[in-house]
Amino acid sequence: MAYDLITMGRIGVDLYPLQTGVPLPQVSSFGKFLGGSATNVAVAAARLGRRTAVITRTGDDPFGTYLHEALRGFRVDDRWVTPVPGLPTPVTFCEIFPPDDFPLYFYRQPKAPDLEIDAHELDLDAIREARVFWVTGTGLSEEPSRTATLAALAHRAKAGTTVFDLDWRPMFWKDPDAARPFYAEALKHTTVAVGNLDEVEVATGVREPRAAAEALLDAGVELAVVKQGPKGVLAVDRNGTSAEVPPLPVDVLNGLGAGDAFGGSLCHGLLEGWDLEKIMRHANAAGAIVASRLECSSAMPTPAEIEAAITAGAVRPSSAAAATPTTTTTAEAATSTTAEAAAPTTAEAAR
């Protein structure tokens, strides 16, 4: 049986502070969670009842073992998650300063195993048969992952729905001009492009949302989804149908992971055949719910939680979130800052 969704990209261990508003040097305890954007999207879709799998790589170490156990616990198939001897499983720390400051510190040196995905090891038949296939911009940043990502896209040849999460991470590239040719090549093989304003500008050279959406359509996709921060999300398809949906009000606890919840819900809505506005409303609500919670993967919402948020017109704080007062804002308004790691033992790490 074909998978509803196969994602390909980052995986790692998120070590998030259990205190908010506290800088890392003063944090006394952390929670350990499954992380990585492509992996979180697979988890989010699985939470919505989809049969999902992820293509990625870990270190051959105890953290790698933990990630396999976590994936199975979330009902995400881990058959294409393989170890890379000699490279450590990536670890990511963050600081939590609600409502809109969540610095990320990625430890991915000397190289992240998920950038060692090799084209010769891909199950191309499974990739082609999946109803939705999801790749990320980070996968284009280094070899052999770059060649593997483009090979998977070329073999799939726009079968079903193929989503390119623009996923611009400046610490992985010398400059946007270095990334743009590879983004352009990926867009030729995809049917859906998803990104925020910074990401669509990298991909197209255009920042104005409507113009950026049109540029993505011109690049070859059938549906362009542009996340606009506090202005919500704009979606435009090749037939001229568009939907612009405001975000739900939410007391943000941790904005990290909201975009991954959005992505998992987007895939679910596309598979359901919903109209564009309904897809965007559900995806926005999923992202807002995760923004109200501390963690990412284990915070992914159920269909009932999404429906409740839409019906209420806002995300009601959970008991955990309610214990920490925050400022009312929107899920897509949450941003993060990053700094690149010089070595895995330094405090200046970034994903």
Side-chain angles (χ1 to χ4, degrees):
M1 180 186 298
Y3 290 89
D4 291 321
L5 170 66
I6 295 177
T7 68
M8 180 173 171
R10 289 202 311 278
I11 194 170
V13 176
D14 288 345
L15 295 175
Y16 285 0
L18 298 182
Q19 299 89 39
T20 62
V22 179
L24 279 180
Q26 280 73 56
V27 172
S28 60
S29 58
F30 296 85
K32 180 175 79 204
F33 307 101
L34 171 73
S37 64
T39 303
N40 282 338
V41 170
V43 170
R47 187 64 60 85
L48 297 174
R50 295 299 174 181
R51 182 171 184 249
T52 72
V54 61
I55 301 169
T56 190
R57 306 197 73 181
T58 70
D60 188 9
D61 54 24
F63 273 148
T65 301
Y66 161 71
L67 294 176
H68 279 278
E69 293 173 351
L71 285 168
R72 294 167 190 156
F74 288 124
R75 305 179 71 86
V76 175
D77 197 320
D78 65 342
R79 70 181 62 195
W80 297 303
V81 182
T82 57
V84 180
L87 290 179
T89 298
V91 175
T92 302
F93 291 87
C94 78
E95 294 174 299
I96 301 175
F97 298 106
D100 59 1
D101 187 19
F102 309 102
L104 278 171
Y105 302 90
F106 291 78
Y107 291 76
R108 290 171 59 88
Q109 300 295 333
K111 186 178 184 180
D114 54 63
L115 294 175
E116 284 292 310
I117 300 172
D118 192 291
H120 298 95
E121 299 174 354
L122 295 175
D123 187 337
L124 293 174
D125 289 340
I127 288 171
R128 185 174 178 85
E129 291 168 3
R131 297 177 68 191
V132 180
F133 181 53
W134 177 288
V135 300
T136 74
T138 295
L140 300 173
S141 64
E142 287 193 42
E143 295 289 4
S145 174
R146 176 185 299 150
T147 293
T149 300
L150 293 175
L153 289 172
H155 183 81
R156 185 168 168 83
K158 293 191 175 183
T161 298
T162 305
V163 184
F164 180 23
D165 174 8
L166 302 179
D167 187 40
W168 167 247
R169 300 285 178 169
M171 74 289 301
F172 296 159
W173 299 86
K174 293 180 179 178
D175 57 59
D177 289 338
R180 195 164 288 134
F182 300 112
Y183 274 55
E185 182 63 25
L187 286 167
K188 293 177 184 177
H189 302 289
T190 54
T191 60
V192 181
V194 184
N196 61 30
L197 295 177
D198 291 337
E199 292 165 338
V200 298
E201 185 176 17
V202 168
T204 67
V206 180
R207 189 173 182 86
E208 193 280 322
R210 177 70 63 164
E214 295 295 339
L216 290 168
L217 294 173
D218 290 343
V221 306
E222 301 296 320
L223 172 63
V225 180
V226 181
K227 293 181 281 188
Q228 305 176 79
K231 293 184 179 179
V233 61
L234 169 68
V236 183
D237 70 20
R238 184 167 295 281
N239 297 324
T241 303
S242 66
E244 192 160 11
V245 176
L248 288 181
V250 55
D251 289 342
V252 174
L253 177 61
N254 184 358
L256 304 175
D260 303 332
F262 181 100
S265 181
L266 168 67
C267 294
H268 177 67
L270 291 169
L271 288 167
E272 286 291 303
W274 292 340
D275 65 69
L276 203 51
E277 182 170 344
K278 182 175 181 178
I279 292 172
M280 293 302 112
R281 289 194 181 281
H282 277 71
N284 255 355
I289 290 168
V290 171
S292 74
R293 299 170 175 175
L294 172 66
E295 64 275 17
C296 294
S297 54
S298 55
M300 296 302 169
T302 65
E305 289 173 326
I306 294 173
E307 290 292 349
I310 293 173
T311 299
V315 176
R316 304 304 185 197
S318 67
S319 57
T324 304
T326 62
T327 302
T328 300
T329 180
T330 58
E332 286 300 325
T335 59
S336 64
T337 59
T338 57
E340 186 171 8
T345 56
T346 69
E348 292 298 318
R351 174 163 53 186

